[in-house]
Amino acid sequence: MSYRTRANMMMIGVNVFWGMSYVFMKMGLNSLGSFTIIALRCLIAFFIAGLFFHKPLRQITRKTILSSAILGFLLFSVFSFVTFGVSMTSASNAGFLVSLTVIFVPLLHCLLVKKLPSWPIGLGVITTLTGIGVLTLKHPFHMNAGDLLCIGTALCYAIHITLTGTFTKNENPIALGILQLGFAGLFALTCSFLFEHPSIPATLSSWIAILGLGVFCSAIGFICQAIAQHYTTPAHTGLIFATEPIFAALFAALFLHELFTLKELIGSVIVVAGILIAQLDNLLLKKRVHYQETLPK
């Protein structure tokens, strides 16, 4: 099994955790402010990850700190935009618009490398976006301030994925993954003191939500993302992120007793098909490399 395949599998596991985050967020918002939740999840993740992976932090440079601050601000923006966006629009519109990340990532990558995406990636993006639409979009579709915030979430997410892929090529991915959580937590904590009344969880369900968000969805999730993106491309990462609404729907059905309808099942199948189509890019690349190696020199 190649490193890229392992990295893609790791990213799918990360999306399982992020699918769980919607359940944890709903549990936490019952008693805590939005910025407070973001601050707690990121700072808890930062200290836990720093405790277990303290060695990479001993060798950080100014460049690593600057890169982590940029990623941390983007991460804070993603969490903030989606939290307030969902409060002003329907869940179906938000799910579709946030998933526009799968379109923005290849477009940003193409702008950086000044090259059009391969046909498997292009077809995979179109198929995946179609599946997301079937999975999450309901009639009628209206554009409002919440929708614009969700589009901002997708754009910030795409920039975060693209820059993570760039930074991890020259920086320690574990150090980047840990430090970005610390910066995101500090940005959120500042906003919590400015705009909310920060507090610690007061109920068992709130503690479960915060620890779930901090340990699984943030500490494990974003560090694994940084490591995986060292071995895979931003385009593939963006496509794999499209599985997040599938896991979110499954966990919502299991823990929040929301129905997983036939329409959502069909949408899930289309999303998986799009991801598999995009993986043809790996096979074609291997064939080209093998063909070039067999040519007489």
Side-chain angles (χ1 to χ4, degrees), residues 54-128:
H54 55 87
K55 288 185 178 180
L57 296 178
R58 298 175 183 176
Q59 301 174 348
I60 58 174
T61 63
R62 289 184 178 180
K63 186 178 179 181
T64 303
I65 294 174
L66 178 60
S67 299
S68 300
I70 294 172
L71 293 179
F73 179 76
L74 288 169
L75 198 58
F76 163 71
S77 301
V78 167
F79 289 147
S80 300
F81 284 168
V82 72
T83 300
F84 290 102
V86 168
S87 68
M88 290 184 280
T89 188
S90 67
S92 58
N93 282 11
F96 177 75
L97 293 171
V98 171
S99 297
L100 286 174
T101 300
V102 304
I103 294 296
F104 289 144
V105 169
L107 291 179
L108 288 173
H109 184 64
C110 289
L111 288 175
L112 288 175
V113 301
K114 298 179 181 179
K115 182 181 178 182
L116 290 175
S118 63
W119 71 262
I121 294 292
L123 182 58
V125 166
I126 295 172
T127 305
T128 301

Side-chain angles (χ1 to χ4, degrees), residues 250-268:
L250 288 173
F251 287 121
L254 288 173
F255 298 106
L256 301 178
H257 307 293
E258 295 181 3
L259 294 177
F260 195 70
T261 64
L262 178 62
K263 173 176 172 288
E264 291 169 331
L265 178 62
I266 294 173
S268 301

Side-chain angles (χ1 to χ4, degrees), residues 191-238:
C191 290
S192 178
F193 277 104
L194 290 175
F195 304 110
E196 297 175 352
H197 299 286
S199 61
I200 62 173
T203 63
L204 178 61
S205 62
S206 296
W207 273 113
I208 292 174
I210 292 301
L211 291 176
L213 288 169
V215 177
F216 296 104
C217 305
S218 299
I220 296 176
F222 284 101
I223 291 175
C224 285
Q225 177 196 346
I227 295 173
Q229 283 200 246
H230 185 71
Y231 300 101
T232 190
T233 64
H236 280 95
T237 302

